[in-house]
Amino acid sequence: MVFKRLLGSLGVGGPTVDTVLDAGPFRPGGALSGQVRLKGGNADFDIEHITLELVARVEAEHEGGESEGVVAFERYTVGGGFRLAEGEERSVPFSVTLPWETPVTELHGQPLGVVLGVRTELAVAGARDKGDLDPLAVGPLPVQEAILEAFGQLGFGFKSADLEYGRIGGTGQQLPFYQEIELTPAPQYAHQVNEIEVTFLANPGGMEVVLEADKRGGFFSAGHDALTRFTVGHQDARDWNAEVDDWVRQLIEQRAAHGSPGPHGSFGAYGHGEHHDGHRSGPGMGTAIAAGAAGLAVGVAGGMVAAEVVDEVGDFFEGEEDEEG
């Protein structure tokens, strides 16, 4: 899916830009590569710079409810400082490094409902225009995949994924938003929790795994959220089924929303205003994916989810074009 755009600030006859990404999915902390293809207009133009901007559709909570918006979370200058002759075609290759906290958009080829894009900005003779917008597919790091598959093998099911604007207190989070992957509980935990949310905060040395459980209330107590955090290395070789099951048990055992620190670096709660209290489904992903031998990476029920995700991606890019066109 590639969108060719005329530079509106330069009027008819200006150069066009077409960014083509190499085959994905790409990985957090890894290389994002491709080419920016330029075609000259009806005159010579000085290309001052070519900039790539990573953007994401993010949900935000506020007093009036919830809203969605587009957040730019990284910028790279990949070229510039040359003259593009009339009608000239030129390709500018690039390879840049994705942030370690870049959200995961798919698991084993199945889209999760998270929408990322690469937007190309061209500065030509003092004028700037965001000339191209392309979808960005990001797959999980090996340890992320191992943890998610362990959840699946333990009987948890995929419910939804979304991006939340804000920061998680007590962590090393770098981006202005974080990803939540919502899971339906395994049968052995269904009487104790409604769902579990997983957040990965990767960095060069490893990864923080933040778990949140929306706990069911008993006869004499209301349901509440419990949270824990664990640290893993990128090269860790563990019995992930046993490890994840232990994490879930520790999480459920936290009976107070503001408990004291627990083992493995876990913690009882975030400060007020640092983490949301609501539980929402990501766009078009209201269907649980059955868990089996391949963990959470199983098919989509009825084929409906994939179609809805495609619609969501289309809406994202069409909205950008409407705003900038």
Side-chain angles (χ1 to χ4, degrees):
M1 188 185 301
V2 176
F3 299 87
K4 294 184 178 180
R5 302 280 311 284
L6 189 69
L7 293 184
S9 61
L10 300 176
V12 177
T16 58
V17 58
D18 178 10
T19 298
V20 180
L21 302 179
D22 290 341
F26 301 97
R27 307 290 171 182
L32 170 66
S33 57
Q35 298 181 27
V36 178
R37 297 173 181 172
L38 303 174
K39 185 173 183 179
N42 57 9
D44 294 352
F45 287 89
D46 290 323
I47 307 299
E48 296 181 351
H49 68 71
I50 305 169
T51 300
L52 302 180
E53 187 174 62
L54 303 184
V55 296
R57 170 168 279 179
V58 176
E59 297 183 6
E61 286 192 349
H62 45 79
E63 291 184 0
E66 302 171 5
S67 60
E68 287 189 341
V70 177
V71 174
F73 61 98
E74 187 61 279
R75 286 175 62 87
Y76 315 90
T77 297
V78 297
F82 61 87
R83 172 161 291 190
L84 187 68
E86 177 181 355
E88 177 188 356
E89 295 185 4
R90 181 181 296 208
S91 180
V92 179
F94 64 84
S95 180
V96 297
T97 302
L98 289 174
W100 281 96
E101 291 180 17
T102 300
V104 175
T105 67
E106 63 176 61
L107 179 62
H108 291 291
Q110 294 289 337
L112 301 181
V114 171
V115 183
L116 303 180
V118 178
R119 188 158 52 190
T120 306
E121 179 182 281
L122 212 58
V124 183
R128 294 186 182 185
D129 200 309
K130 292 177 171 56
D132 193 30
L133 181 62
D134 298 272
L136 173 61
V138 179
L141 293 166
V143 70
Q144 293 172 328
E145 184 175 318
I147 291 170
L148 290 175
E149 289 198 350
F151 271 108
Q153 290 168 12
L154 289 170
F156 290 83
F158 178 82
K159 181 180 179 183
S160 67
D162 59 14
L163 305 181
E164 299 283 346
Y165 188 77
R167 297 186 180 277
I168 301 176
T171 69
Q173 181 185 344
Q174 299 295 311
L175 296 184
F177 58 84
Y178 54 92
Q179 180 174 21
E180 286 186 336
I181 300 173
E182 300 181 5
L183 307 178
T184 57
Q188 63 269 32
Y189 297 118
H191 65 290
Q192 296 171 293
V193 294
N194 293 310
E195 66 182 31
I196 285 182
E197 296 174 345
V198 182
T199 294
F200 296 115
L201 298 174
N203 58 66
M207 187 175 326
E208 293 175 274
V209 183
V210 181
L211 302 184
E212 177 179 358
D214 178 17
K215 300 172 70 173
R216 295 188 184 277
F219 288 109
F220 304 104
S221 62
H224 58 273
D225 296 342
L227 306 105
T228 59
R229 174 177 55 121
F230 305 90
T231 300
V232 301
H234 290 297
Q235 306 302 321
D236 282 5
R238 308 186 190 184
D239 181 345
W240 287 112
N241 284 19
E243 188 82 12
V244 169
D245 192 52
D246 183 56
W247 292 352
V248 173
R249 292 180 186 278
Q250 292 184 49
L251 178 64
I252 290 176
E253 288 170 0
Q254 292 185 354
R255 295 302 178 187
H258 298 275
S260 57
H264 300 291
S266 62
F267 59 105
Y270 306 106
H272 291 291
E274 294 174 331
H275 188 85
H276 74 82
D277 293 322
H279 299 272
R280 298 181 300 283
S281 295
M285 294 296 289
T287 304
I289 295 179
L296 301 179
V298 196
V300 179
M304 293 297 295
V305 174
E308 292 175 356
V309 171
V310 169
D311 289 343
E312 191 70 25
V313 172
D315 292 344
F316 175 70
F317 289 105
E318 287 170 9
E320 285 290 307
E321 288 185 332
D322 292 342
E323 292 171 9
E324 298 168 12

